[in-house]
Amino acid sequence: DGGITQSPKYLFRKEGQNVTLSCEQNLNHDAMYWYRQDPGQGLRLIYYSQIVNDFQKGDIAEGYSVSREKKESFPLTVTSAQKNPTAFYLCASEPTGGTNYGYTFGSGTRLTVV
Amino acid sequence: GDSVTQMEGPVTLSEEAFLTINCTYTATGYPSLFWYVQYPGEGLQLLLKATKADDKGSNKGFEATYRKETTSFHLEKGSVQVSDSAVYFCALSVGSGGYQKVTFGIGTKLQVIP
């Protein structure tokens, strides 16, 4: 079955470390998104990509970076510049950007700073 | 800016009770409206959607009607089950510079007790 795979499910980061969260989809979707979920704040957009080799900043991009070298993959790096990285991170996709198809989400990565 | 308002909850109901989760929105343009559901430790799943005024979205016994005059998209179910316990997110999507910007509400937690 097609879907989105996020890994790892749990990730622990030490202060000053960069960590990379994986997001892979086999849905043949062009558009991919990264969201951060915090209690009481809903979902906030970090980065999005509507096509390979192109991506745009979302509302809270500071301290994060992404790449989109392959259609199937959209990894997110949480850098040491992100001051409060502890959160639940969700990757999503849709067939193409600019449609109202609705998102398919992965099962998330919970990142904790130790 | 665009926004979605829903109560955080928790909403606690007995099994077979009637469910209403309110969602109101403000948006420029003509948004599409969505309900997503999130089970514990998982990503979000698209539950239903409506793309124009007076449309009714429905799925798995849930339904919601796009009411432009009251800027609302309330989620209803006639008889809830324990398995419906989850967090429900209302969201809107509006076109902005070739990109459909999605705004999520904070999520409403539903607890159904036997």
Side-chain angles (χ1 to χ4, degrees):
Chain A
D1 286 339
I4 296 182
T5 301
Q6 290 189 241
S7 62
K9 192 169 180 65
Y10 299 96
L11 186 58
F12 297 91
R13 191 194 93 167
K14 294 182 179 179
E15 296 280 353
Q17 270 187 340
N18 293 352
V19 291
T20 297
L21 285 59
S22 171
C23 176
E24 302 279 333
Q25 54 100 356
N26 61 1
L27 299 165
N28 200 33
H29 286 178
D30 285 320
M32 298 187 74
Y33 307 85
W34 273 105
Y35 283 90
R36 170 179 171 142
Q37 184 177 18
D38 296 281
Q41 295 195 52
L43 277 70
R44 293 181 290 169
L45 181 64
I46 304 172
Y47 268 96
Y48 66 97
S49 169
Q50 298 193 73
I51 197 168
V52 174
N53 292 322
D54 186 55
F55 49 83
Q56 306 295 329
K57 292 182 179 180
D59 299 321
I60 56 165
E62 184 175 352
Y64 300 97
S65 65
V66 294
S67 63
R68 186 84 187 276
E69 298 177 359
K70 298 186 300 181
K71 187 174 186 177
E72 302 79 17
S73 180
F74 191 41
L76 174 73
T77 296
V78 184
T79 74
S80 56
Q82 171 49 239
K83 298 306 179 188
N84 184 24
T86 295
F88 191 50
Y89 290 86
L90 289 162
C91 181
S93 72
E94 63 179 346
T96 56
T99 66
N100 292 310
Y101 191 85
Y103 288 169
T104 299
F105 280 88
S107 57
T109 293
R110 186 165 298 280
L111 173 63
T112 304
V113 175
V114 296
Chain B
D2 303 328
S3 67
V4 175
T5 301
Q6 58 178 128
M7 64 179 296
E8 190 170 3
V11 173
T12 303
L13 295 173
S14 297
E15 205 165 21
E16 299 184 2
F18 185 87
L19 168 70
T20 299
I21 299 177
N22 289 341
C23 171
T24 58
Y25 66 90
T26 58
T28 54
Y30 301 95
S32 294
L33 301 172
F34 304 82
W35 277 101
Y36 288 87
V37 58
Q38 184 179 34
Y39 299 100
E42 296 294 323
L44 280 68
Q45 301 174 25
L46 179 63
L47 183 59
L48 53 84
K49 68 178 182 182
T51 58
K52 62 182 188 297
D54 299 324
D55 270 1
K56 177 185 284 188
S58 61
N59 186 26
K60 300 181 181 178
F62 292 91
E63 59 182 34
T65 301
Y66 187 165
R67 301 287 188 197
K68 185 179 178 182
E69 63 276 11
T70 54
T71 62
S72 65
F73 193 53
H74 305 321
L75 182 68
E76 296 180 335
K77 187 177 184 184
S79 176
V80 293
Q81 306 300 311
V82 172
S83 58
D84 293 325
S85 298
V87 180
Y88 292 81
F89 290 87
C90 185
L92 67 83
S93 172
V94 177
S96 175
Y99 161 64
Q100 290 289 123
K101 181 174 171 59
V102 179
T103 302
F104 288 87
I106 62 171
T108 300
K109 185 174 183 178
L110 171 65
Q111 296 176 333
V112 180
I113 56 177

